[in-house]
Amino acid sequence: MKYDRADTACLPAACGETATLPEQRESEKLKLDGKDLGDPRLTAVKFCVLPETGSTSHELVTGIFAHEKNFVEFLKTIIDYCACGLQVVNKQGKIVFINESFTEVHGVREEDVIGRHVTDVVDNTRMHLVAQTGVPEHDRYQDIRGIPYVVSRIPIFEDGECIGAVGLIRFRYIDEVQKLTDDIKRLHKQIRDLRKGSSLSCGTEYTFDNILGVSEPMRQTKSTAMQAASTNATVLLRGESGVGKEVFAHSIHNYSRRRDGPFIRVNCSAIQETLIESELFGYEEGAFTGARKGGRKGRFEQADGGTIFLDEIGDMPLTAQVKLLRVIQEGEVDRLGSEKRNQVDVRIIAATNRNLEDKVRDGSFREDLFYRLNVIPIMIPPLRHIPEDIPWLVKSLWEKLSRRHGIHHKRLSHAAMAAMQMLPWKGNVREMQNVLERLMIMCKVDEIGEEELRRVLLQGGVCCDLMEIDGEDSGMTLDMLVERTERRAIRYALAVGEGNRSAAAKLLGISRPLFYKKLAKYGLM
């Protein structure tokens, strides 16, 4: 990098001194698709070397140079030394910039590639697609001249429009990735060994620390589950699909004295009716055509000394219900084709989103089995009943998805968060995670607002107003609907106003005294 000493000599020796600056020259601009990639006024005219007042890092750096040309050369030098291989294309996919490492990796010269379409220079590239769609691609495999690389392709936006893309080689050689993978595997093994010796057993990954929520219903539910976990009593987890019944099952097991024993999960609705008995209770050799030589242990025997989690218990066929009742009552399992009964010591956690009382009445579920399972019933509330817990869940899920997809620059606005608290979430946490994942991947803006949320919901087939009343059933009175709507509107206004009550009252179009009166009425103070 070269610059004229005479130019820099014109800079003041210290802040506050007056100096004659050189005549400002026409700035040389780095352009992308006809648009500037930086501030065109990067001269030292406005800056001092060490300003006493607060200045941005941009001003401090550019203040070193008397002319923008020198600053651009300075940046190019940094890019050449810091990046393994970098290229910039415009929206049409034509290369407008490369660094020295790029020429080494691809075996090309700068003057031969600038201005050419990227597909003419790089085989199997996707740079032009990223520049057109605006969808980033992080840490992707690419073979370059027979050598494997890990690359990222990042779109460039200006005023909400994608104007090009930057391509960056993250690892020069695949053995660097392999080394990192080996390190991660080693750390995971150490964690598993520590867990095996302390709390978490094979087959579980959640504890009560993973159950987030500050609402009274969720705190009571969590407290009941923790109290039940310290015993061997049978637990029946009830709630809608997606509320987190399996998370509670894992947590109960890991909080119990059986935490060092096995945790066996059985989805009763996913096993064919003809196979469920052999799956649950096992079979002896020759019990049926195709039976494994030597027989096979059932899930109950596999769970001996630990916990068995019977998910979707409401879908278990009647024939299997009879044997399950015997296991609960006698602690004995008889395999198919065997006259011998084996003793098992198993703690049962069952879960269902069905109304078991209705199934008992229509004869599809045994009444005696229902009472055996319903020793400690735990009702997990749906999201629409605990809107105050939604921000905690969203934050946790968003961080998890950011790590999974390598997208760390996007965030949800306060308005979008408030709108999410207004949604009915029929699919609960599972639906929320799907919506958040679509928002993170599909939205091109860094701050995702309420309009983007509406658009993603409509694209996903969720056609509802964010202020829609969730009546649940036709038995709700008008007063109940008005109260629920007012509660949601107040929470929404407080979230948008970031807790400012005056702003919330103004947003709702009511006076502050009336707003405070309603806060007190609904216990939202």
Side-chain angles (χ1 to χ4, degrees), residues 225-512:
M226 293 176 74
Q227 188 176 353
S230 61
T231 71
N232 283 322
T234 301
V235 175
L236 179 60
L237 301 171
R238 308 188 68 171
E240 298 175 4
S241 177
V243 294
K245 294 187 286 293
E246 185 166 355
V247 176
F248 269 88
H250 285 202
S251 302
I252 291 171
H253 172 76
N254 287 321
Y255 200 72
S256 72
R257 293 190 295 269
R258 297 173 176 267
R259 58 184 174 271
D260 294 325
F263 179 90
I264 304 298
R265 179 184 182 272
V266 180
N267 189 330
C268 299
S269 65
I271 305 175
Q272 296 180 20
E273 184 174 349
T274 55
L275 298 177
I276 192 164
E277 286 191 58
S278 61
E279 282 290 322
L280 290 177
F281 312 115
Y283 56 84
E284 292 292 341
E285 181 179 345
F288 52 85
T289 303
R292 180 187 299 177
K293 185 177 180 180
R296 181 178 182 272
K297 284 184 177 181
R299 300 297 180 88
F300 273 93
E301 289 185 80
Q302 294 173 22
D304 190 23
T307 303
I308 188 167
F309 175 45
L310 301 175
D311 200 7
E312 306 294 348
I313 188 70
D315 296 322
M316 177 177 282
L318 281 168
T319 53
Q321 291 179 30
V322 178
K323 281 196 170 184
L324 176 58
L325 186 62
R326 184 183 301 123
V327 175
I328 297 175
Q329 290 176 333
E330 310 296 338
E332 295 179 342
V333 171
D334 53 335
R335 298 184 185 182
L336 290 177
S338 173
E339 297 180 358
K340 179 184 176 182
R341 293 182 176 178
N342 300 319
Q343 288 289 132
V344 291
D345 175 24
V346 176
R347 199 261 181 87
I348 295 175
I349 301 176
T352 183
N353 59 2
R354 302 293 188 92
N355 189 320
L356 292 184
E357 291 83 356
D358 287 345
K359 293 182 73 65
V360 168
R361 281 190 289 270
D362 65 26
S364 60
F365 200 86
R366 292 181 62 95
E367 185 176 17
D368 48 3
L369 177 59
F370 170 71
Y371 290 125
R372 286 288 185 178
L373 293 173
N374 201 40
V375 177
I376 302 182
I378 297 178
M379 179 63 72
I380 304 173
L383 284 184
R384 63 181 175 278
H385 291 172
I386 48 172
E388 56 267 49
D389 289 343
I390 287 178
W392 297 81
L393 285 168
V394 169
K395 182 176 183 296
S396 176
L397 292 171
W398 193 263
E399 291 174 352
K400 177 182 175 182
L401 292 170
S402 295
R403 292 192 297 269
R404 178 188 298 175
H405 297 293
I407 301 174
H408 302 284
H409 60 284
K410 294 185 180 181
R411 61 189 181 277
L412 292 170
S413 69
H414 291 291
M417 183 70 77
M420 295 188 80
Q421 290 182 270
M422 306 296 296
L423 288 167
W425 298 116
K426 295 295 185 181
N428 294 291
V429 180
R430 190 177 294 117
E431 179 189 4
M432 177 186 286
Q433 179 168 332
N434 290 341
V435 169
L436 289 174
E437 194 162 11
R438 289 201 300 272
L439 283 170
M440 180 175 289
I441 294 172
M442 302 307 296
C443 292
K444 298 179 181 179
V445 295
D446 287 348
E447 183 171 81
I448 298 167
E450 187 175 341
E451 286 304 314
E452 287 77 20
L453 175 60
R454 290 178 185 271
R455 193 177 305 114
V456 165
L457 289 172
L458 289 172
Q459 290 172 349
V462 182
C463 300
C464 64
D465 192 335
L466 291 176
M467 291 291 289
E468 178 185 14
I469 298 173
D470 175 32
E472 290 189 4
D473 53 47
S474 58
M476 294 190 72
T477 65
L478 179 60
D479 288 342
M480 294 169 66
L481 289 173
V482 169
E483 179 180 341
R484 174 168 293 180
T485 305
E486 286 192 346
R487 281 178 178 272
R488 289 187 170 185
I490 290 170
R491 288 195 186 100
Y492 179 84
L494 284 171
V496 172
E498 300 182 36
N500 188 307
R501 296 178 180 181
S502 297
K506 184 177 180 181
L507 179 65
L508 293 173
I510 60 177
S511 64
R512 286 182 62 187

Side-chain angles (χ1 to χ4, degrees), residues 159-176:
D159 299 329
E161 178 189 355
C162 184
I163 60 172
V166 175
L168 178 67
I169 294 177
R170 301 292 298 273
F171 297 98
R172 273 185 178 274
Y173 303 106
I174 204 67
D175 57 354
E176 296 181 35

